[in-house]
Amino acid sequence: KGIYYNYILAANGLFIEASNPAIAARVPVAECEVRGLAPMKAKIALTYGSIPQRFFDLALDTFLAAPDREHYVAVTAAAGYDFYVPVQDEDGASVVYEMGDSVVLDIHSHAHMPAFLSPQTDDKDETGLKLYAVVGRLNATPVVKLRVGVYGYFHSLTWRDVFDGSLT
């Protein structure tokens, strides 16, 4: 056990587990076989339940207002969910923004590029305990990629893991 997170050894590998007032998460760190232990799965639990789809719809509307630029928005969680759009400096390939308090979901766009999470940029920036999303292909049918991060370890998520409603 640690101060901010715990490591758990299971039959299928090593996991990291942590929680804060908005989210509890467990993700794999390294796969391996350990005989004599029970297997474990990744998990997330959001304090206020699934994030309402309307927050994603607001994010997408914000991104589509200027689809040739990268943008950032967030969902915060303090006594429920709120939408947060900080002061930011955007261009076609990057966005720099002010970090908000109680952020449970970071969402950024990739303008016309595909939706992907970059090891060079995103993995280095996304070191907290929260959900992360990127939306790409704003000039066609937008695509979203989602993941949970636990202090630098990541696990891919589906739409239903994060949002209520339908991606369509």
Side-chain angles (χ1 to χ4, degrees):
K1 291 193 174 221
I3 296 172
Y4 298 107
Y5 47 83
N6 299 317
Y7 286 105
I8 303 167
L9 190 59
N12 52 333
L14 181 65
F15 289 75
I16 186 172
E17 186 173 67
S19 64
N20 64 31
I23 185 174
R26 179 176 57 222
V27 301
V29 172
E31 289 186 32
C32 65
E33 180 184 341
V34 181
R35 291 183 290 257
L37 296 177
M40 190 165 281
K41 293 182 180 180
K43 75 168 190 172
I44 65 162
L46 297 168
T47 302
Y48 302 109
S50 296
I51 297 172
Q53 180 179 335
R54 71 179 180 273
F55 289 103
F56 180 79
D57 295 342
L58 283 168
L60 189 57
D61 287 347
T62 301
F63 300 160
L64 290 172
D68 57 333
R69 303 176 78 77
E70 289 198 11
H71 303 279
Y72 169 87
V73 299
V75 176
T76 61
Y81 294 120
D82 288 302
F83 193 66
Y84 172 69
V85 181
V87 173
Q88 53 195 284
D89 184 20
E90 314 142 339
D91 65 33
S94 68
V95 59
V96 178
Y97 51 88
E98 293 180 1
M99 185 60 65
D101 294 327
S102 305
V103 173
V104 69
L105 171 62
D106 279 338
I107 310 173
H108 73 277
S109 68
H110 271 185
H112 302 303
M113 296 184 299
F116 65 92
L117 293 150
S118 163
Q120 292 81 20
T121 304
D122 296 322
D123 285 2
K124 290 178 182 170
D125 290 344
E126 298 173 354
T127 59
L129 171 59
K130 63 178 91 166
L131 303 170
Y132 300 97
V134 62
V135 181
R137 298 275 186 229
L138 296 177
N139 58 333
T141 301
V143 176
V144 63
K145 298 274 185 184
L146 298 159
R147 69 181 180 178
V148 60
V150 181
Y151 302 113
Y153 297 101
F154 304 104
H155 182 71
S156 295
L157 298 173
T158 67
W159 178 265
R160 290 301 228 168
D161 293 328
V162 177
F163 294 100
D164 69 5
S166 170
L167 181 56
T168 59

